[in-house]
Amino acid sequence: MQNLKPLKQPIKHALIATRQAFGETLYEVMKENKSVVALTADLGESLRMLKIQEEMPERFFDIGVAEANMVGIAAGLALGGFVPVAGTFAVFMTRAFDHIRMQICQNNLHAVMVGSHGGVSNALDGGSAHALEDIAYMRALPNMTIIYPVDANQTEWAFRAAATLDGPVYLRLYREATAVFTGKDDVFKIGQANIHRTGNDVTIVAAGPSTVMALTAREQLKIAGINAEVIGVHTIKPLDKETIIKSAQKTKRVVTVEDHNINGGLGSAVAEVLGEEQPTLLRRVGVTQFGESGTYPQLTARLGIDAAGIVRAVQQIVNN
Amino acid sequence: MDVKHLEEKARGLRKQVIEMLYAAQSGHPGSSLSGMDLLVTLFFSGLLRHDPVKSDMENRDYFILSNGHACPALYAVLAERGYFPKAELKKLRQLGAGAQGHPHRGSLPGVEISSGSLGQGLSVGLGLALASKLRKNDKRSVYVMMSDGEQEEGSTWEAVMYAPKEKLDNLVALVDKNGMQIDGFTKKVMPTLDPLAAKYRAFGWQVQEIDGHNLKAIWKALVKAQRIKKPAVIIAHTVRGKGVSFMENSEHWHAGAITLEQYEMAMEELGS
């Protein structure tokens, strides 16, 4: 993977999809660690696994269009002493939910389920291809860790950490190439959110590549005299309560943003924490409907989860 | 293999199952009784490489109970084999018991996976068989028991389709074909499940159909399945509730509480 240094202007950053970084990192990890095995449900190319298939065919399993079987087999491989990494589109992980629940989570096995093309990032394919519920149902599973990297650079760290974690992991990735704004100096630790920009007027808590939208929104808000703190949450479960509560105490206003249904995702998780421990004015930016075909910028604008949508939510809450 | 001795063992374990279910006042007698002879042959004939004292023995064969509701039979067999004290059996379905209502991995030694939601065990078995293949000198076998009702799950067929692709000759599936499911006779609920053997054959499996209460036939089939160089399935024709006349082929005994009168009748029929 390209070694990218942090730049100041998000808009000029290199654009790389997190799924690309995943495929490259998985390849490297499998070269280093012979106990890691890769599985896919007929989406090896989309998840950038082809080099693995070519060079390490004995540890690559294309299960065919059969997500439930893929996860069941992953459970068996985990029980048999291997570290399975099972990837498909996030939207199709739904089909394996019962196997994830019973075999991976109830048995507390170390397996990495990789849901690529998360949110509306598979934009042109339309509503059937948009994964807007996966974080919600994964959050309801005991033992599950949910990681949703903010950019390609962080994905490398995230996957390396996920591969050595004990227990089930859901790694949510993006199809769309998005700005790489973190650098090698950014600390990555599972369960620890990153404060990417500090501010005093409002806290924007963002998940995954929506963090890029939050950074752009911050620049626009600055012009209006609003100084926003931007927190990127790569680990949605377990959530870094401390960082969020601390920031909420300071700014008194919180806006969450995610490419996911507004129910059950990051916004809900933050609302639960604040509601119980630090009641704070809150606006959740998320999706309230099914998707449709369109380009990624068009869709995020229509669904109100782009920088403009975040700016609107911040203005509402600041004027409140 | 001493057939008489094992038949005697199976009879005693059927009584054990009735006692457990009577004590719990709930559970699934039908499948626990229909699959008992398969379990007894596998666990007591010396075919399965395992060590009850060291249930996590590294080179053990795996036994996966995919139709988890038949777990009273598995628990009884494991206890008889010495995996854990028989006192555990009487706690079936009680809060905090190792003998959970459906198998929960780790709750008792010898329970390899959680099951209960049908159509998962074969996939997990495939994963274990693949793991064994990945370790070059690993010669362990994986046995997966399923019900016939479970064959209606789509995920079962995802696994059936995949096993021959990987040439998993270390995988043996057993179907306890007792011809019944919750809503009644399988022929009525899903008349197109048959011919089952032809379906497995079409996907490239080696298929044997046997009388699932004939211990010698079961043993022979298991030996053959072990030797064959592809995934093997043994379709065992059984009787739901086998051994207790009023439970046999009865639509009422998928699950349910046993009364004192029924308990006494069942124990008498199973003899001493």
Side-chain angles (χ1 to χ4, degrees):
Chain A
M1 207 178 78
Q2 287 169 267
N3 186 358
L4 292 149
K5 293 223 169 82
L7 301 170
K8 278 180 188 158
Q9 294 298 321
I11 203 141
K12 289 181 188 162
H13 291 174
L15 299 176
I16 304 174
T18 55
R19 62 163 167 156
Q20 181 70 31
F22 157 76
E24 291 170 15
T25 310
L26 175 63
Y27 172 84
E28 286 168 19
V29 167
M30 285 180 69
K31 283 270 178 197
E32 295 158 16
N33 184 349
K34 305 283 184 232
S35 67
V36 178
V37 295
L39 299 87
T40 185
D42 198 32
L43 287 169
E45 197 278 328
S46 297
L47 273 91
R48 302 295 185 250
M49 289 174 165
L50 292 189
K51 216 168 127 192
I52 293 163
Q53 183 177 23
E54 275 166 32
E55 293 184 30
M56 296 170 263
E58 71 288 349
R59 282 188 285 144
F60 173 83
F61 303 102
D62 198 329
I63 310 297
V65 193
E67 295 79 12
N69 191 36
M70 174 179 72
V71 172
I73 289 174
L77 284 161
L79 286 168
F82 289 87
V83 178
V85 179
T88 179
F89 286 177
V91 73
F92 302 138
M93 209 48 99
T94 319
R95 306 192 67 131
F97 179 71
D98 194 27
H99 288 61
I100 296 171
R101 181 184 75 91
M102 284 279 301
Q103 301 306 336
I104 306 290
C105 287
Q106 194 171 321
N107 290 337
N108 198 16
L109 300 179
H110 181 212
V112 184
M113 271 76 57
V114 182
S116 182
H117 297 49
V120 299
S121 71
N122 195 5
L124 298 171
D125 273 356
S128 77
H130 299 159
L132 296 167
E133 312 81 14
D134 50 328
I135 296 172
Y137 66 73
M138 292 293 188
R139 274 187 68 219
L141 293 169
N143 300 327
M144 181 67 91
T145 295
I146 304 173
I147 304 177
Y148 182 22
V150 299
D151 68 8
N153 185 42
Q154 193 181 68
T155 302
E156 179 178 352
W157 298 107
F159 180 73
R160 284 183 178 279
T164 52
L165 198 73
D166 209 10
V169 180
Y170 177 56
L171 179 67
R172 192 190 211 227
L173 301 173
Y174 236 41
R175 178 189 196 279
E176 185 78 9
T178 53
V180 182
F181 65 93
T182 66
K184 292 284 181 197
D185 298 334
D186 281 291
V187 176
F188 177 87
K189 198 175 161 215
I190 288 179
Q192 190 177 300
N194 296 96
I195 301 173
H196 295 296
R197 302 285 187 278
T198 54
N200 295 313
D201 301 329
V202 62
T203 301
I204 305 173
V205 183
S210 294
T211 310
V212 177
M213 304 282 195
L215 293 173
T216 307
R218 184 179 186 272
E219 297 307 308
Q220 293 169 11
L221 289 164
K222 228 190 226 165
I223 298 164
I226 299 168
N227 192 10
E229 180 145 299
V230 176
I231 299 177
V233 176
H234 50 67
T235 309
I236 294 181
K237 184 172 180 266
L239 190 67
D240 181 356
K241 297 179 182 182
E242 204 187 315
T243 299
I244 293 166
I245 290 169
K246 240 176 155 177
S247 181
Q249 281 169 341
K250 179 175 71 171
T251 65
K252 311 275 192 279
R253 292 171 179 85
V254 174
V255 171
T256 63
V257 55
E258 64 198 303
D259 185 355
H260 184 272
N261 190 282
I262 199 155
N263 296 316
L266 173 78
S268 295
V270 170
E272 287 157 19
V273 169
L274 294 180
E276 286 182 345
E277 300 187 32
Q278 179 67 38
T280 307
L281 278 176
L282 175 74
R283 287 287 179 281
R284 292 171 298 143
V285 176
V287 183
T288 55
Q289 61 191 82
F290 286 109
E292 59 182 304
S293 286
T295 64
Y296 177 71
Q298 285 171 339
L299 275 178
T300 49
R302 173 164 291 195
L303 297 168
I305 56 170
D306 63 347
I310 300 167
V311 168
R312 282 196 300 275
V314 169
Q315 281 171 337
Q316 277 176 19
I317 205 170
V318 168
N319 295 331
N320 195 310
Chain B
M1 190 185 76
D2 184 345
V3 175
K4 278 272 167 292
H5 172 69
L6 290 199
E7 281 173 350
E8 202 42 38
K9 193 69 96 184
R11 192 177 60 83
L13 286 168
R14 282 191 164 91
K15 287 179 76 171
Q16 182 70 261
V17 162
I18 295 295
E19 282 190 19
M20 291 162 71
L21 295 172
Y22 176 62
Q25 279 298 293
S26 86
H28 300 79
S31 302
S32 299
L33 296 174
S34 69
M36 184 59 88
D37 297 317
L38 296 169
L39 289 174
V40 166
T41 310
L42 190 58
F43 276 85
F44 290 91
S45 67
L47 279 170
L48 190 77
R49 256 181 312 181
H50 67 140
D51 182 354
V53 181
K54 200 178 181 324
S55 61
D56 60 349
M57 181 177 85
E58 201 138 287
N59 58 346
R60 72 188 182 280
D61 292 335
Y62 289 104
F63 175 75
I64 301 288
L65 184 73
S66 188
N67 54 329
H69 57 280
C71 62
L74 177 63
Y75 297 158
V77 165
L78 291 175
E80 181 71 19
R81 261 338 240 110
Y83 276 84
F84 48 82
K86 286 186 183 170
E88 290 293 330
L89 300 176
K90 297 208 173 86
K91 298 182 199 157
L92 177 70
R93 294 187 163 234
Q94 286 177 15
L95 186 66
Q100 288 288 298
H102 286 80
H104 192 141
R105 177 180 141 75
S107 75
L108 283 173
V111 176
E112 299 276 12
I113 69 160
S114 299
S115 56
S117 183
L118 298 172
Q120 301 192 357
L122 191 57
S123 294
V124 181
L126 294 186
L128 285 165
L130 280 173
S132 175
K133 290 264 175 197
L134 281 169
R135 287 193 191 83
K136 303 290 177 223
N137 298 319
D138 190 327
K139 298 263 184 260
R140 58 174 84 185
S141 299
V142 181
Y143 298 90
V144 179
M145 186 156 130
M146 295 178 279
S147 64
D148 49 355
E150 186 170 13
Q151 307 298 303
E152 292 160 15
E153 286 282 4
S155 57
T156 298
W157 295 100
E158 293 182 4
V160 170
M161 199 184 309
Y162 191 72
K165 174 186 169 184
E166 298 288 350
K167 302 181 176 63
L168 294 174
D169 55 3
N170 54 347
L171 179 76
V172 179
L174 299 131
V175 180
D176 176 12
K177 197 169 190 298
N178 65 24
M180 300 192 75
Q181 53 193 108
I182 296 181
D183 279 349
F185 289 94
T186 300
K187 271 191 180 0
K188 198 178 106 198
V189 177
M190 194 49 63
T192 43
L193 183 62
D194 279 322
L196 185 60
K199 292 182 177 70
Y200 272 89
R201 263 188 211 109
F203 282 116
W205 288 62
Q206 195 265 344
V207 184
Q208 301 178 73
E209 284 200 83
I210 58 162
D211 172 356
H213 297 306
N214 179 332
L215 273 66
K216 200 163 181 195
I218 298 168
W219 183 74
K220 274 181 154 171
L222 284 168
V223 170
K224 193 172 170 189
Q226 268 187 344
R227 287 188 189 144
I228 214 90
K229 289 286 158 213
K230 53 180 175 176
V233 60
I234 297 168
I235 298 174
H237 294 268
T238 60
V239 174
R240 182 155 90 170
K242 175 72 176 178
V244 179
S245 61
F246 60 91
M247 287 180 175
E248 286 189 2
N249 285 322
S250 159
E251 298 196 35
H252 305 295
W253 286 104
H254 170 75
I258 300 171
T259 66
L260 176 61
E261 200 187 348
Q262 288 165 337
Y263 165 75
E264 284 172 347
M265 215 190 309
M267 292 303 273
E268 197 184 319
E269 280 189 23
L270 288 166
S272 54

